Amino acid sequence: MAAGYGEYAWVTVLLSLMDIRFWLLIFVLVLGLVTLVIRGRKSREQVRKQEQECQNLNQQIIRLQGMLNAQEKDAMIRLETAENLAHQLKSSLNSLWLRMELSGMNEQLEETLNHMNSQLEGFLNISTVHYNDRQLCMELVSLKEIIVQEVMPELSGYTGELDMNMMSGWLYGDRQMLRQAVETLLVNALRHSNQVTVLLTETATGLCLEIRNRTSGTSLPPEKRYASREPGHYGIGLDLARTAAREHLGKLTLSLENGVFAARLCLPVHPWETPDCNVSEKPD
């Protein structure tokens, strides 16, 4: 300053005291503070949106729970009505059987009446399965024996040709339920085709029953219960087969390729579930 530099000397002194690192530190602090403010606002907005979504979901859950409760009550009423009707039909069938037996006409219609009675009994059994009131009678059974000895006699009214290639197909299962599943798959196939192929194969972990038939349809039929074209008639066959597969930890799959419809019922078989395993006659 004594040399005459004046204000320039003051500026030179100040710049020498504050280098670039000081300004860089100030910039970083300001930038961090601005970032924290922005993130805080975004976090509060996100929390507010999540709380609103939770409230909406809770309201939807309450509405859905009310609808589910109403449907369960309606389903129980329908089930009770259907079971009452089935029991009344069984009573009427028994009365008819008694009258025919007294009149000596029971021998001519014995097979038909027994078939009607088994259908009603099967409906009552399946209705309990659908409502998780399972009363499965597990025993060592052969799918081949079920098809040949129990299902085939019931198909005498169909004129279709069956091409069958079957292994024994042993497993532990409910004979009545498996029979209903196999019968409904065969009946559906014979209704739509004059030639049906039945394959029953075994593997190390399970067995697979495949039933194929030609069809003019272009789409797969629904597996769940559906209203058919006939008034008051419902298609429940595939639903029964799917239920039987699920109750035996298996799976029912449908396919349609090149005009050939195939239904595959695959069931698991554990190593101890073999026909020559050392088990009692009435396994637990």
Side-chain angles (χ1 to χ4, degrees), residues 25-123:
L25 178 62
I26 295 298
F27 175 76
V28 171
L29 291 176
V30 173
L31 181 61
L33 181 61
V34 172
T35 303
L36 290 176
V37 172
I38 294 175
R39 288 185 177 179
R41 291 180 178 178
K42 289 184 178 180
S43 298
R44 288 192 296 270
E45 182 66 20
Q46 187 176 5
V47 170
R48 187 187 65 79
K49 290 182 179 179
Q50 290 178 349
E51 290 178 350
Q52 184 65 34
E53 291 179 356
C54 290
Q55 292 178 358
N56 294 336
L57 289 176
N58 289 332
Q59 293 177 357
Q60 292 181 6
I61 290 174
I62 294 174
R63 289 196 299 267
L64 292 176
Q65 188 64 42
M67 295 173 59
L68 181 61
N69 293 336
Q71 291 180 357
E72 287 181 350
K73 292 180 180 179
D74 181 67
M76 292 303 297
I77 294 175
R78 290 175 181 268
L79 174 64
E80 183 178 358
T81 302
E83 288 181 344
N84 291 338
L85 176 60
H87 284 295
Q88 291 174 0
L89 290 175
K90 282 179 64 67
S91 299
S92 300
L93 189 62
N94 292 333
S95 300
L96 177 61
W97 173 262
L98 179 59
R99 292 184 179 181
M100 295 183 65
E101 186 177 11
L102 294 176
S103 61
M105 300 175 57
N106 58 314
E107 295 182 359
Q108 292 86 345
L109 298 176
E110 181 178 3
E111 182 179 353
T112 301
L113 294 175
N114 287 335
H115 182 61
M116 294 173 61
N117 185 70
S118 64
Q119 287 181 325
L120 290 173
E121 190 68 30
F123 166 76

Side-chain angles (χ1 to χ4, degrees), residues 74-272:
D74 181 67
M76 292 303 297
I77 294 175
R78 290 175 181 268
L79 174 64
E80 183 178 358
T81 302
E83 288 181 344
N84 291 338
L85 176 60
H87 284 295
Q88 291 174 0
L89 290 175
K90 282 179 64 67
S91 299
S92 300
L93 189 62
N94 292 333
S95 300
L96 177 61
W97 173 262
L98 179 59
R99 292 184 179 181
M100 295 183 65
E101 186 177 11
L102 294 176
S103 61
M105 300 175 57
N106 58 314
E107 295 182 359
Q108 292 86 345
L109 298 176
E110 181 178 3
E111 182 179 353
T112 301
L113 294 175
N114 287 335
H115 182 61
M116 294 173 61
N117 185 70
S118 64
Q119 287 181 325
L120 290 173
E121 190 68 30
F123 166 76
L124 293 174
N125 291 336
I126 287 297
S127 66
T128 60
V129 172
H130 278 291
Y131 288 88
N132 296 323
D133 185 16
R134 296 181 295 175
Q135 298 177 358
L136 303 184
C137 181
M138 306 299 288
E139 57 181 320
L140 190 62
V141 296
S142 167
L143 276 187
K144 181 179 180 180
E145 291 183 0
I146 292 177
I147 295 174
V148 174
Q149 299 178 6
E150 301 181 21
V151 177
M152 291 294 296
E154 302 295 337
L155 304 178
S156 57
Y158 294 94
T159 58
E161 179 182 351
L162 288 176
D163 181 13
M164 311 180 75
N165 184 3
M166 299 186 297
M167 304 178 73
S168 298
W170 288 95
L171 80 160
Y172 275 99
D174 187 287
R175 177 182 293 271
Q176 178 70 18
M177 186 180 298
L178 291 175
R179 179 197 171 199
Q180 289 177 339
V182 173
E183 183 177 0
T184 189
L185 293 178
L186 282 173
V187 168
N188 286 343
L190 290 172
R191 284 178 177 175
H192 295 86
S193 177
N194 292 327
Q195 187 170 6
V196 177
T197 302
V198 181
L199 300 175
L200 178 58
T201 57
E202 298 177 353
T203 64
T205 58
L207 55 91
C208 182
L209 175 65
E210 182 175 352
I211 301 176
R212 298 197 300 255
N213 65 276
R214 299 202 64 85
T215 179
S216 59
T218 58
S219 60
L220 292 174
E223 294 185 27
K224 295 185 178 180
R225 181 177 183 267
Y226 65 96
S228 66
R229 296 179 180 178
E230 301 178 11
H233 179 265
Y234 294 89
I236 61 174
L238 291 178
D239 187 37
L240 296 181
R242 183 172 58 89
T243 300
R246 183 182 66 247
E247 294 301 323
H248 289 81
L249 304 181
K251 186 177 182 181
L252 176 68
T253 57
L254 308 177
S255 64
L256 179 59
E257 297 180 1
N258 300 325
V260 177
F261 172 76
R264 297 179 182 87
L265 178 63
C266 297
L267 304 173
V269 177
H270 301 287
W272 54 271

